[in-house]
Amino acid sequence: KSEKAGARKVTLAGVGIQSEPPKIDLDKIPLYNYQFEFDLTRIQYLDERPHYVLRFRPKTILPEAKDMYYEAVNRLTGIVYVDTEYLYMRRLEAVMDKPFNVKLLMGRVRGLSLLLEQELRPEFDDIIVIKHLTILSLKYREYFSEKHERQSDYYSDYHLFP
């Protein structure tokens, strides 16, 4: 492929990428144990940087889950913001509203909504770190008790260890 004259080139994992938004092949996103369908909806600016906005939803037939974590993640729907230059997930907003049973019918996860933000740290050779993870709502039943939780984890004070 030819390059535009004067386009700045950034190296990401040994591959040269032009600074203009590259085309994303949504069928080649490595999702391992997850099964989602994606729609690229628009490009939106966050902190003066362009991001792809992708809507995602689980495929019609859910894969067999290894554990409760995969069971919940495979049922998420939401929006992902992907940095167009470095191609990392900057923000994830997701909800799970398809309940499922756990612990041999002793419990049931009824709903989950979460927010994840990551950031690029130039002072650490452009590594990507989690900024915060917020479980906005987790609704579940444990035996005969209904529960509702909220949890926020903020990450800061990262240090580079030689």
Side-chain angles (χ1 to χ4, degrees):
K1 295 181 180 179
S2 64
E3 296 179 17
K4 288 186 177 181
R8 186 168 66 94
K9 205 164 184 181
V10 175
T11 301
L12 178 65
V15 179
I17 297 176
Q18 294 181 12
S19 62
E20 64 186 43
K23 302 291 184 226
I24 291 181
D25 184 354
L26 297 177
D27 295 326
K28 293 188 178 179
I29 295 175
L31 293 173
Y32 309 106
N33 295 307
Y34 310 116
Q35 298 290 319
F36 296 104
E37 294 176 356
F38 289 87
D39 296 313
L40 180 59
T41 59
R42 65 187 184 278
I43 292 180
Q44 179 176 328
Y45 282 80
L46 299 175
D47 296 329
E48 300 180 15
R49 294 187 52 80
H51 289 75
Y52 294 113
V53 179
L54 302 163
R55 290 198 178 278
F56 69 94
R57 63 194 166 283
K59 290 189 176 179
T60 310
I61 299 172
L62 295 174
E64 185 176 330
K66 296 178 182 178
D67 57 28
M68 190 170 67
Y69 167 80
Y70 285 108
E71 187 79 40
V73 169
N74 283 331
R75 295 166 183 264
L76 292 175
T77 61
I79 299 172
V80 177
Y81 297 83
V82 177
D83 184 280
T84 61
E85 182 177 359
Y86 292 97
L87 297 178
Y88 76 95
M89 181 181 66
R90 165 74 189 280
R91 182 179 174 98
L92 170 76
E93 302 166 3
V95 296
M96 187 226 57
D97 56 5
K98 295 178 182 172
F100 63 92
N101 292 326
V102 293
K103 298 181 186 175
L104 301 171
L105 302 176
M106 297 293 197
R108 184 165 179 83
V109 177
R110 298 189 184 279
L112 168 70
S113 64
L114 60 91
L115 171 65
L116 170 72
E117 286 198 63
Q118 301 185 120
E119 63 185 348
L120 189 73
R121 299 297 294 263
E123 70 273 23
F124 300 139
D125 294 326
D126 291 340
I127 65 168
I128 298 157
V129 297
I130 295 174
K131 189 175 181 179
H132 71 85
L133 170 64
T134 302
I135 297 174
L136 301 169
S137 174
L138 173 60
K139 298 175 188 173
Y140 62 98
R141 183 189 79 227
E142 190 172 48
Y143 301 104
F144 301 107
S145 174
E146 293 290 328
K147 301 192 179 203
H148 186 214
E149 295 181 13
R150 179 187 170 100
Q151 176 181 339
S152 292
D153 295 313
Y154 291 87
Y155 302 86
S156 63
D157 199 23
Y158 286 98
H159 299 284
L160 182 63
F161 295 102

